[in-house]
Amino acid sequence: AQTVTQSQPEMSVQEAETVTLSCTYDTSESDYYLFWYKQPPSRQMILVIRQEAYKQQNATENRFSVNFQKAAKSFSLKISDSQLGDAAMYFCAYRNISQRIFYGGSQGNLIFGKGTKLSVKP
Amino acid sequence: DARVTQTPRHKVTEMGQEVTMRCQPILGHNTVFWYRQTMMQGLELLAYFRNRAPLDDSGMPKDRFSAEMPDATLATLKIQPSEPRDSAVYFCASGPSPIGTRLEDTEAFFGQGTRLTVV
């Protein structure tokens, strides 16, 4: 079974500085996707960024970027120029996607880490 | 503005009572997830449906929990009887089919959750 581990329960960053959140995962699959979701106090889960496992190039979305190390099964999130609105819980997630047509099994399941609470200091 | 709708947003109930949580997935999405979020365990997958068929409910306590999709527009999660340890936020999420190569088909869209308190 796939697992996702976030080893930092809490992190803190000064406004305008850069912070990196860690995530490791375990899988025997070769095709999969990785995600970072943000959950502000409103409880709404918001997709921040996603990475396809077969792409070596790291995904980037504005101030958010990832460092994807497939061999090490590591998927960290870097937030540059941190803003007060970035304060939230951040969840790393894994989803295995099969390119084959299938009619059973748990392919496509979405597994989350336990989250990292990010605080941003003014 | 397509969104996943969950009802109720909040529920307080007494131990032993039946609780039913409802989810309306985004029209056209054929995968539905139920998650439970607690401080201790984080986001736990309870059930995963594709085309209304349950594919993975290994995370769900079978003795008291049940999840169904009576039709493509409604997913339900029931707890009977409820216990104080069931107090949590329950999220429903939906997404397109995970088969294929379209990156936009990989995203799961979340509802705002049902906060359940069992006293």
Side-chain angles (χ1 to χ4, degrees):
Chain A
Q2 295 88 10
T3 59
V4 177
T5 302
Q6 292 178 251
S7 59
Q8 306 151 317
E10 295 188 29
M11 292 282 285
S12 181
V13 64
Q14 202 73 32
E15 194 176 7
E17 298 293 310
T18 295
V19 65
T20 298
L21 308 184
S22 301
C23 173
T24 58
Y25 59 94
D26 188 25
T27 183
S28 58
E29 300 288 337
S30 59
D31 292 339
Y32 53 88
Y33 291 88
L34 297 164
F35 307 85
W36 279 98
Y37 277 84
K38 171 185 177 181
Q39 186 182 41
S42 67
R43 276 198 336 232
Q44 184 66 52
M45 295 286 284
I46 303 165
L47 180 65
V48 174
I49 198 167
R50 58 187 150 203
Q51 173 79 42
E52 299 152 272
Y54 58 86
K55 283 191 175 180
Q56 292 188 347
Q57 186 176 3
N58 289 322
T60 299
E61 288 286 342
N62 301 314
R63 298 182 295 107
F64 298 87
S65 61
V66 298
N67 183 5
F68 173 49
Q69 302 289 329
K70 189 172 184 179
K73 297 180 182 176
S74 170
F75 183 61
S76 60
L77 174 70
K78 186 171 81 171
I79 306 174
S80 304
D81 185 25
S82 297
Q83 301 176 357
L84 295 177
D86 295 334
M89 284 289 290
Y90 285 83
F91 293 93
C92 178
Y94 163 98
R95 191 174 193 193
N96 61 313
I97 306 291
S98 173
Q99 303 298 327
R100 303 182 301 273
I101 297 174
F102 53 87
Y103 297 96
S106 60
Q107 295 283 334
N109 217 336
L110 183 61
I111 306 297
F112 285 86
K114 291 195 186 302
T116 297
K117 182 177 181 181
L118 178 66
S119 302
V120 180
K121 298 178 181 177
Chain B
D1 182 23
R3 64 181 70 183
V4 176
T5 304
Q6 288 187 249
T7 55
R9 290 290 308 277
H10 305 273
K11 176 73 176 179
V12 180
T13 190
E14 292 185 347
M15 182 174 63
Q17 296 297 306
E18 177 180 299
V19 175
T20 299
M21 291 169 272
R22 293 178 173 80
C23 169
Q24 182 177 358
I26 293 173
L27 191 65
H29 284 183
N30 66 342
T31 61
V32 174
F33 303 88
W34 281 105
Y35 291 92
R36 175 172 61 185
Q37 185 178 29
T38 62
M39 289 292 291
M40 293 299 294
Q41 300 299 327
L43 276 161
E44 301 174 276
L45 178 69
L46 296 177
Y48 167 44
F49 288 79
R50 188 170 66 239
N51 295 325
R52 296 176 53 201
L55 292 188
D56 186 354
D57 59 2
S58 57
M60 194 165 67
K62 304 292 192 306
D63 56 339
R64 298 183 300 108
F65 285 62
S66 62
E68 295 178 345
M69 283 200 72
D71 60 61
T73 64
L74 177 64
T76 62
L77 180 66
K78 291 185 181 180
I79 309 175
Q80 169 62 25
S82 58
E83 298 181 0
R85 59 179 168 153
D86 301 329
S87 297
V89 179
Y90 291 81
F91 284 99
C92 173
S94 73
S97 169
I99 302 171
T101 59
R102 284 161 44 94
L103 184 59
E104 52 267 39
D105 289 342
T106 65
E107 183 176 353
F109 296 80
F110 281 76
Q112 291 201 289
T114 294
R115 181 178 292 279
L116 174 65
T117 304
V118 183
V119 298

